Amino acid sequence: MTFSGEFLAFMSLALVAVIGGVLLLNLTRVVHMVVALVFTFVSIAGIYVLLSAEFLAAVQILIYSGSITIIMLFGVMLTRHNDTSEPKTGRLRKLLLFLGVLGFAFAVYIGIYNLDLPSAPNDLHVNNTEQIGIELYSKFIIPFEVTSVLLLVALVGSIVLAKRDDDKEAEKE
Amino acid sequence: MSAVPVQAYLALALILFCIGLYGALTKRNTVMVLISIELMLNAVNINLVAFSKYGIMPSITGQIFALFTITVAAAEAAVGLAILIALYRNKKSVNIDEMDAMKH
């Protein structure tokens, strides 16, 4: 394996992503965890660029590091009771879960360790956004429209769920 | 052959998925559980995009599928937080082990 520029970029991006994930598990203040999450999301966008998916990288930065982290911050702020999440779960349970996850990782790693796929030439990097648009509006037009319905349902549903129920509140007081 | 083999991308996605799985199973704050689920979805997206470039038949379909996954993940995060806020209003708590009743 040669140390080309692509390899160095991949290694540094992967390092930042994994460090962000580990910090996410180990930090105690919830806001710090969200900042670690932003690091992970931005480096995943860099990984997408390496995989010649530039449009997806832009979408990742817009949606994940933009809106999802902001929505999570809203969730933290609106439900503030004590900002730090105290580790109160049992040590034995954590150890067992860690071993289970480690076993899962090992099992999957055996599967991908010797994976050897024949590499075929591709032209994903030329006019990536145009290719996605053409494919989305020709082959995937019905899933695309169904997605719009899904987003509408999610919007209405979350408003209805999070809306303060005025009658019930008045009844309580 | 490219400089970075496909196994490296798959291994990165596996590590991120395991971090998300461990976080979703151990954290008590429900917001953290939702964040860990988002991390797992991101790891799956890396796999989809990696196979769309280095798979047996490289095509743009993997990236389209990742786009749909991102959309559904965003909708899931919004609805999950709305449920969390409704629960918080009733129980005054965000700890996931105290949300064990189907009615308040």
Side-chain angles (χ1 to χ4, degrees):
Chain A
M1 192 181 293
T2 55
F3 281 93
S4 64
E6 189 186 352
F7 184 71
L8 282 180
F10 172 78
M11 282 316 279
S12 44
L13 284 171
L15 201 66
V16 173
V18 172
I19 285 176
V22 172
L23 282 182
L24 177 79
L25 287 186
N26 286 324
L27 288 174
T28 47
R29 296 183 74 88
V30 179
V31 181
H32 294 177
M33 291 180 188
V34 176
V35 174
L37 188 76
V38 172
F39 273 99
T40 305
F41 284 161
V42 170
S43 48
I44 287 175
I47 296 280
Y48 286 163
V49 172
L50 282 185
L51 284 167
S52 59
E54 289 92 4
F55 180 71
L56 215 55
V59 167
Q60 169 89 11
I61 286 186
L62 280 178
I63 293 187
Y64 272 105
S65 32
S67 49
I68 290 209
T69 48
I70 295 298
I71 245 185
M72 291 298 172
L73 274 181
F74 265 112
V76 173
M77 300 292 172
L78 286 179
T79 62
R80 174 203 301 272
H81 63 305
N82 49 351
D83 209 5
T84 57
S85 62
E86 71 279 27
K88 220 174 166 186
T89 38
R91 202 163 284 241
L92 179 69
R93 179 164 167 267
K94 264 191 178 169
L95 185 71
L96 283 180
L97 277 173
F98 183 73
L99 286 181
V101 170
L102 211 65
F104 170 77
F106 185 67
V108 180
Y109 187 71
I110 288 175
I112 65 176
Y113 177 60
N114 281 324
L115 185 69
D116 194 19
L117 296 172
S119 65
N122 58 70
D123 54 346
L124 290 176
H125 51 282
V126 279
N127 289 337
N128 183 258
T129 310
E130 187 184 353
Q131 282 191 54
I132 286 181
I134 290 173
E135 194 85 350
L136 205 56
Y137 275 97
S138 56
K139 210 172 175 181
F140 293 96
I141 183 68
I142 292 179
F144 184 69
E145 299 294 340
V146 173
T147 304
S148 68
V149 177
L150 172 77
L151 283 178
L152 181 69
V153 170
L155 174 70
V156 175
S158 35
I159 288 175
V160 168
L161 277 175
K163 189 166 65 75
R164 188 177 293 274
D165 220 343
D166 282 329
D167 303 337
K168 213 181 273 179
E169 295 284 319
E171 223 168 82
K172 230 179 261 177
E173 289 163 6
Chain B
M1 193 60 200
S2 70
V4 184
V6 64
Q7 292 100 311
Y9 290 106
L10 297 186
L12 169 68
L14 174 65
I15 291 171
L16 286 180
F17 187 87
C18 287
I19 289 174
L21 186 62
Y22 182 73
L25 291 178
T26 52
K27 293 288 179 189
R28 275 186 90 215
N29 194 334
T30 311
V31 180
M32 292 316 298
V33 174
L34 283 175
I35 286 177
S36 301
I37 290 173
E38 295 298 324
L39 201 62
M40 287 161 75
L41 286 164
N42 257 294
V44 174
N45 278 345
I46 292 179
N47 264 6
L48 286 173
V49 179
F51 278 118
S52 100
K53 188 175 183 193
Y54 294 121
I56 294 177
M57 285 173 58
S59 72
I60 201 84
T61 312
Q63 298 185 13
I64 307 262
F65 213 94
L67 271 179
F68 284 128
T69 316
I70 287 176
T71 319
V72 176
E76 174 257 324
V79 176
L81 273 173
I83 292 175
L84 169 64
I85 287 173
L87 276 175
Y88 176 71
R89 195 172 298 140
N90 284 326
K91 302 191 82 121
K92 301 286 175 237
S93 160
V94 287
N95 291 334
I96 201 160
D97 48 357
E98 292 165 26
M99 297 177 185
D100 48 1
M102 290 295 279
K103 59 179 196 178
H104 55 86

